[in-house]
Amino acid sequence: MEKRKHPRLPVRNMLIDVSDGIGFCTGTVQDVSRVGLCLTDLAKRFGQDMDTYTAVASSGSEYFKFRVRPRWEQAGSVSKRMGVEITEPSGPWMDFVSRLEAKSRKREQQSR
């Protein structure tokens, strides 16, 4: 059963730099919502047993910095996927996601 309050929106060409305060790694953002991100291609050993991270997401010329809290992880043989919650989404982030939601609604209406 889906418990999400906000829909997940797929994104392309969005990178993420994540720091645990000791090191950092770069990954890819697969999808976003108003208060969360699905991160892929993260180093498998990065940030084990950490409660929060600092993350900087970049999409074209837009950059978003936030504190995130891990919610789930799926480890592969070399890399892992991680779902994170944005603890305090900024206004510019909310505007970015609102634009994505509007584009998604427009595509849905056109496909009907």
Side-chain angles (χ1 to χ4, degrees), residues 5 9 17 27 29 31 33 49 53 94 103:
K5 292 180 184 177
L9 303 162
D17 291 319
V29 179
D31 60 49
S33 75
D49 302 322
Y53 303 97
M94 298 299 274
K103 287 179 187 177

Side-chain angles (χ1 to χ4, degrees), residues 57-72:
S58 59
S59 178
S61 62
E62 295 184 278
Y63 293 86
F64 308 98
K65 182 177 178 181
F66 14 63
R67 299 285 293 165
V68 297
R69 186 172 46 202
R71 304 305 284 169
W72 57 266

Side-chain angles (χ1 to χ4, degrees), residues 6-110:
H6 305 288
R8 289 285 183 173
L9 303 162
V11 292
R12 287 192 204 176
N13 303 320
M14 180 176 271
L15 298 177
I16 190 100
D17 291 319
V18 187
S19 173
D20 60 6
I22 298 168
F24 80 96
C25 74
T26 299
T28 304
V29 179
Q30 179 177 325
D31 60 49
V32 302
S33 75
R34 291 175 182 248
V35 294
L37 305 161
C38 178
L39 310 179
T40 62
D41 305 321
L42 295 172
K44 184 177 178 179
R45 296 171 54 126
F46 172 75
Q48 295 176 333
D49 302 322
M50 296 296 294
D51 293 336
T52 60
Y53 303 97
T54 300
V56 177
S58 59
S59 178
S61 62
E62 295 184 278
Y63 293 86
F64 308 98
K65 182 177 178 181
F66 14 63
R67 299 285 293 165
V68 297
R69 186 172 46 202
R71 304 305 284 169
W72 57 266
E73 265 185 38
Q74 287 180 326
S77 59
V78 176
S79 64
K80 67 180 172 182
R81 294 175 44 164
M82 181 186 302
V84 297
E85 176 184 7
I86 301 169
T87 55
E88 294 181 26
S90 66
W93 175 254
M94 298 299 274
D95 293 343
F96 176 78
V97 174
S98 292
R99 290 193 310 269
L100 290 177
E101 289 172 339
K103 287 179 187 177
S104 178
R105 283 191 299 270
K106 186 175 181 178
R107 279 193 299 269
E108 285 177 14
Q109 290 172 350
Q110 289 175 345

